[in-house]
Amino acid sequence: MKTLRLPKPRLDFFASVLHKFGEVHAPVEHDGHYVFRRLARWSDARLTYTRTMLPPKKYVLPPRETLFRYRPDSGYVPPSKDPDTRIVLFGVHACDIFALNILDEVFAGPYPDPYYQARRGRLAIIGIDCTPDEHCFCRSMRADFVDHGFDLFFYDIGEYYLVLVGTALGDDMVIATGPLFEEVTQSDIDEYKRRSALKRVAFTLDVEIRDLPEIFELEYESEIWEDLGDQCISCGRCSLVCPTCYCYDVTDEIDIAGGSSTRTRAWDSCLFATHALVAGGENFRSARADRIKFRFYHKQRGFVAEYGRPSCVGCGRCSTACPVGIDIVQIIQRLRGVSDVARC
Ligand code: SF4
Ligand code: SF4
């Protein structure tokens, strides 16, 4: 992987060239939160943000999308032009890139999802390093560093950015901006290592995940799940903000008078009361306790069995979004029998 450096005063010029590669989106401030959004101007970008409300999954799996339409006269009508839009998403943290890599694996599985893959193929990712806050535990989830899934990745090393070039597209971006980038020096490398070590000790949350699937197996009947079921209000926010939750619902809207019909998919949540409702009125998880247990088990145990790692990347969004204060780290520690949330 090629590594270069970019003097910080040249970042604005670099950003001004990116429109050649697509619409430029980045985190911006909105109503006291951060959101990924198309930039009206580069100065709106907030590259030292904590976390966005919604993760980058909204670019590859939109909250609602039309899969196709059907017209009686012309038959199948393909989806809108939207997936043709190329997007350069600037300022994605390592955990969110890690989450996209997980989604890539899921949507490339035995039944590749063409809608997801079309959008992903048109999404360029420029990553940026970050500083953990009190909700981050990506280090525990081994997602505080990524070695693929980005086109470029920027590390702040003081007067420069250390820039990893991850793909040929990233290389094209570097080449398109002429001599902006420079060779790295030994002192750049030393500064990168110094800051990397500082980041490691900046985490205040620590979760041991090595035997977590076994702990979950042993605690399947724990009273914790009933307690959580009593607290949870099934709003689904935790899964909607999660960068790796990918459940969706597909509905057909059919004009029985013979007009055109539409097939739509929209985000779903395993916390919703109807998620496991099937024909005949049977609901496999009608109790809230069963639904919240299912979410935890799928992330920390079922996904490990299928993909070799948990699907949680430790971004902290579910804990910050939950209106009743259900905190994933506290639950894991309680299952482990640890009374206080472990601090590094
Ligand atoms: S489960 Fe929570 S902490 Fe883990 S990836 Fe999803 S939102 Fe982030
Ligand atoms: S955000 Fe909290 S209250 Fe809402 S469904 Fe998730 S755990 Fe339950």
Side-chain angles (χ1 to χ4, degrees), residues 231-239 269 271 292 318 321-326:
Q231 291 175 52
C232 174
I233 57 172
S234 293
C235 65
R237 285 175 73 166
C238 50
S239 45
S269 166
L271 278 305
I292 196 161
C318 55
C322 178
V324 298
I326 292 175

Side-chain angles (χ1 to χ4, degrees), residues 7-317:
K8 280 188 175 170
R10 297 182 189 171
L11 181 66
D12 292 354
F13 185 74
F14 171 70
S16 73
V17 178
L18 288 177
H19 67 89
K20 292 182 182 172
F21 297 88
E23 288 180 3
V24 181
H25 293 227
V28 300
E29 270 183 275
H30 177 73
D31 279 349
H33 300 282
Y34 295 105
V35 293
F36 285 116
R37 175 173 288 175
R38 185 178 186 182
L39 294 178
R41 53 193 164 269
W42 173 246
S43 58
D44 289 343
R46 295 289 175 268
L47 298 182
T48 53
Y49 69 108
T50 47
R51 65 180 60 72
T52 53
M53 288 273 281
L54 289 181
K57 79 173 175 187
K58 70 178 183 178
Y59 289 100
V60 286
L61 186 67
R64 173 174 289 273
E65 68 178 325
T66 300
L67 300 181
F68 64 82
R69 291 194 171 79
Y70 177 83
R71 293 205 185 103
D73 51 344
S74 53
Y76 172 82
V77 181
S80 70
K81 292 281 180 209
D82 186 38
D84 289 339
T85 306
R86 289 189 178 276
I87 292 174
V88 179
L89 189 55
F90 200 121
V92 187
H93 291 165
C95 64
D96 277 344
I97 297 175
F98 210 106
L100 279 174
N101 291 342
I102 287 174
L103 294 181
D104 286 351
E105 209 172 335
V106 169
F107 284 94
Y111 307 103
D113 186 306
Y115 303 97
Y116 176 95
Q117 293 186 336
R119 291 179 193 280
R120 184 65 168 107
R122 290 171 175 82
L123 183 65
I125 299 287
I126 300 181
I128 195 155
D129 198 24
C130 49
T131 304
D133 72 1
E134 70 275 20
H135 299 289
C136 295
F137 60 104
C138 56
R139 183 170 169 239
S140 302
M141 303 311 294
R142 318 286 193 261
D144 55 329
F145 177 82
V146 271
D147 60 6
H148 69 286
F150 56 83
D151 297 287
L152 296 172
F153 198 103
F154 282 56
Y155 287 95
D156 185 343
I157 53 167
E159 293 176 22
Y160 301 93
Y161 289 107
L162 189 83
V163 181
L164 306 187
V165 182
T167 62
L169 178 60
D171 208 26
D172 288 347
M173 292 176 184
V174 169
I175 292 167
T177 50
L180 284 187
F181 291 80
E182 302 173 351
E183 297 296 316
V184 292
T185 64
Q186 186 57 48
S187 71
D188 297 330
I189 295 167
D190 292 343
E191 183 60 13
Y192 165 79
K193 288 193 289 189
R194 191 183 74 80
R195 287 173 182 250
S196 176
L198 285 177
K199 181 176 174 180
R200 269 202 302 282
V201 296
F203 284 93
T204 55
L205 289 179
D206 184 30
V207 181
E208 176 55 76
I209 64 166
R210 263 175 292 198
D211 60 348
L212 205 50
E214 288 72 26
I215 299 278
F216 270 76
E217 194 64 41
L218 293 166
E219 292 292 356
Y220 193 77
E221 301 297 341
S222 169
E223 62 186 21
I224 289 174
W225 306 117
E226 289 301 323
D227 289 353
L228 290 174
D230 290 342
Q231 291 175 52
C232 174
I233 57 172
S234 293
C235 65
R237 285 175 73 166
C238 50
S239 45
L240 301 183
V241 300
C242 177
T244 61
C245 277
Y246 51 81
C247 281
Y248 57 79
D249 196 14
V250 175
T251 51
D252 288 338
E253 288 161 36
I254 299 168
D255 181 357
I256 55 173
S260 61
S261 305
T262 306
R263 177 164 293 179
T264 306
R265 77 169 162 188
W267 287 358
D268 199 355
S269 166
C270 56
L271 278 305
F272 291 159
T274 54
H275 188 264
L277 181 66
V278 296
E282 183 63 41
N283 191 335
F284 296 104
R285 289 187 293 276
S286 58
R288 277 199 301 270
D290 290 340
R291 295 199 293 276
I292 196 161
K293 177 157 82 169
F294 175 80
R295 180 168 191 267
F296 275 82
Y297 271 74
H298 183 238
K299 292 224 165 282
Q300 307 289 354
R301 187 191 169 285
F303 206 86
V304 179
E306 198 170 351
Y307 293 96
R309 61 150 289 131
S311 64
C312 174
V313 295
C315 71
R317 282 189 182 88

